[in-house]
Amino acid sequence: MDQDSHCTAERELLEAVSRITTFSTTSPPGEQQNQPKAEISGQRRKENPEKDVLQDSSSSLSPNSSMTTKELQEYWRNEKSQCRQVKLLFEIPSTRIVEHHLSKYVVYKIIILQTGSFDSNKSVIERRYSDFEKLHRNLLEEFSEEMEDMTFPKKTLTGNFTEEIINERKLAFKDYLRLLYSMKYIRRSKKFIDFLTRPELQEAYGCLRGGQYTRALEILLEVIGLQERLTRGNPASIVPTLCAIVVCHKDLENPERAFEYGEKALSRLRTHSSHRYYIPLLETMITLAYELGKDFLSLQEKLEEWKAKKDPVRVFTLKELAVREYVQ
């Protein structure tokens, strides 16, 4: 389904949810159980017969689900916002030459900006020629047809460290990233997103495993903004990073901030209760809520409901899951 169709479907579902809310406050008790469900089903078939698949994907959001009306409205507001593509710009303002033991290479500083935003929203990463080369090779395996007309700057036998060659590559890599991002299927691909985020995430999780929570948190907070902009169509994909931030704040004895990021993670798992992070996150949020004097009964109810539906299986703690991320 393309982006426009997805947005249209989400708007129609949001309108249906609004009708449920209005109906639930005005209809007699005896009529509330059947009419909203039939109304949604009938409208979908009438207006969008080709989108019946949405009936199944949103069934967990029926009036009989465990989500409250407020949670439903918040969920669909978030879904609606996913329809708006975030446009990013790529700049390579500078480079540096690194000499390490017997190797020597150029590192390119990449600034990623959201159009129409202030500088506070920018992300800064560094990549070397071999990183770009690996990305190009990986993308060709999956998108050879889309990339058949794209050129990639070749290595030369000599002169790789001259100012002229470095400046040429700066411009070439800037145009290369711009072209990749302009292609919908490439910008959404795991290989492209990994190129922009994986090295930093690997460093952050390495720090987390080593107990360097302050440094890990610093890196994770830098990465999460970029991840959110790159994966707006797949909000659950950033849950591991959000949960790692929760773990860091919790171990740094900052339960308020841990709870804040935990709520963000839970909001992205409202329809993903089978996600491996769901139960460990719920358990952590219950502990944090109790510590902060917040209401934890609704969280406890969700946990008990899940346990009643599932067979008993071993569930890792949130921290145990986090330290297993990006283990080579």
Side-chain angles (χ1 to χ4, degrees):
M1 186 184 297
D2 60 27
Q3 186 172 350
D4 292 337
S5 299
H6 179 76
C7 293
T8 300
E10 297 299 355
R11 283 197 297 271
E12 291 167 352
L13 288 173
L14 181 59
E15 290 168 1
V17 171
S18 298
R19 284 194 292 278
I20 293 171
T21 306
T22 303
F23 187 89
S24 65
T25 58
T26 59
S27 300
E31 299 178 7
Q32 290 183 0
Q33 296 179 358
N34 300 318
Q35 185 170 342
K37 186 174 181 180
E39 182 182 31
I40 296 174
S41 177
Q43 176 164 343
R44 282 182 189 157
R45 285 193 294 269
K46 181 179 179 181
E47 299 183 3
N48 293 285
E50 75 279 12
K51 297 184 180 67
D52 288 343
V53 67
L54 288 174
Q55 178 85 19
D56 295 329
S57 65
S58 60
S59 61
S60 61
L61 301 182
S62 70
N64 296 323
S65 74
S66 62
M67 294 174 67
T68 65
T69 299
K70 182 178 179 181
E71 288 174 331
L72 280 165
Q73 291 173 329
E74 180 185 353
Y75 172 80
W76 286 117
R77 276 196 298 270
N78 290 337
E79 287 296 302
K80 189 177 180 181
S81 71
Q82 305 305 327
C83 299
R84 298 191 295 270
Q85 179 195 339
V86 174
K87 294 185 178 179
L88 301 180
L89 298 176
F90 298 87
E91 298 289 343
I92 304 181
S94 62
T95 61
R96 60 189 179 92
I97 297 175
V98 176
E99 296 190 51
H100 184 68
H101 298 307
L102 299 177
S103 64
K104 183 179 181 181
Y105 53 88
V106 179
V107 173
Y108 298 84
K109 180 180 181 180
I110 306 169
I111 296 179
I112 306 165
L113 295 164
Q114 182 175 327
T115 57
S117 66
F118 296 104
D119 286 345
S120 59
N121 290 326
K122 70 182 179 183
S123 299
V124 181
I125 61 176
E126 288 189 327
R127 298 293 183 268
R128 50 191 291 189
Y129 181 95
S130 60
D131 296 322
F132 281 99
E133 191 175 40
K134 181 180 178 182
L135 170 66
H136 189 71
R137 199 165 54 244
N138 289 339
L139 289 177
L140 281 174
E141 295 176 358
E142 189 174 352
F143 305 103
S144 57
E145 185 175 343
E146 291 87 343
M147 298 177 62
E148 61 182 357
D149 295 327
M150 293 186 67
T151 58
F152 187 83
K154 302 296 184 182
K155 271 189 176 180
T156 60
L157 294 176
T158 59
N160 287 302
F161 301 100
T162 64
E163 184 177 353
E164 180 182 2
I165 293 296
I166 290 174
N167 286 334
E168 285 180 3
R169 286 183 180 166
K170 278 169 54 178
L171 295 174
F173 285 142
K174 173 185 172 181
D175 288 340
Y176 178 72
L177 291 173
R178 178 182 59 81
L179 285 170
L180 291 180
Y181 185 76
S182 70
M183 291 181 272
K184 179 175 67 175
Y185 294 109
I186 291 182
R187 71 168 172 262
R188 292 178 179 178
S189 70
K190 184 178 185 301
K191 293 174 181 178
F192 182 66
I193 294 171
D194 277 354
F195 169 79
L196 296 171
T197 61
R198 188 178 180 89
E200 286 72 24
L201 287 171
Q202 285 178 320
E203 181 183 356
Y205 280 101
C207 292
L208 193 156
R209 284 189 289 273
Q212 302 175 42
Y213 301 114
T214 300
R215 176 57 182 159
L217 183 59
E218 179 184 336
I219 301 170
L220 290 168
L221 291 175
E222 286 285 336
V223 176
I224 191 66
L226 179 57
Q227 273 190 308
E228 287 177 327
R229 283 173 268 169
L230 289 168
T231 62
R232 286 177 71 91
N234 184 15
S237 64
I238 65 169
V239 166
T241 306
L242 288 170
C243 289
I245 293 174
V246 172
V247 169
C248 289
H249 275 308
K250 189 172 184 295
D251 281 6
L252 289 170
E253 299 182 356
N254 192 348
E256 293 88 355
R257 295 288 282 170
F259 192 84
E260 175 187 340
Y261 278 92
E263 286 187 313
K264 291 181 180 180
L266 275 180
S267 71
R268 286 158 172 80
L269 293 179
R270 292 202 188 283
T271 59
H272 301 276
S273 61
S274 60
H275 195 284
R276 60 198 173 96
Y277 271 88
Y278 183 68
I279 294 306
L281 178 59
L282 268 182
E283 292 175 337
T284 299
M285 290 294 285
I286 291 169
T287 301
L288 289 169
Y290 181 81
E291 182 180 348
L292 294 169
K294 295 179 180 288
D295 177 26
F296 59 87
L297 292 180
S298 61
L299 296 170
Q300 187 69 46
E301 288 173 0
K302 290 178 181 178
L303 179 62
E304 296 302 325
E305 179 183 346
W306 185 91
K307 288 182 176 179
K309 293 179 179 178
K310 303 288 183 179
D311 293 330
V313 294
R314 185 189 171 197
V315 177
F316 292 110
T317 66
L318 198 67
K319 188 171 183 178
E320 286 173 339
L321 276 180
V323 298
R324 283 169 168 76
E325 293 286 345
Y326 292 93
V327 176
Q328 298 299 326

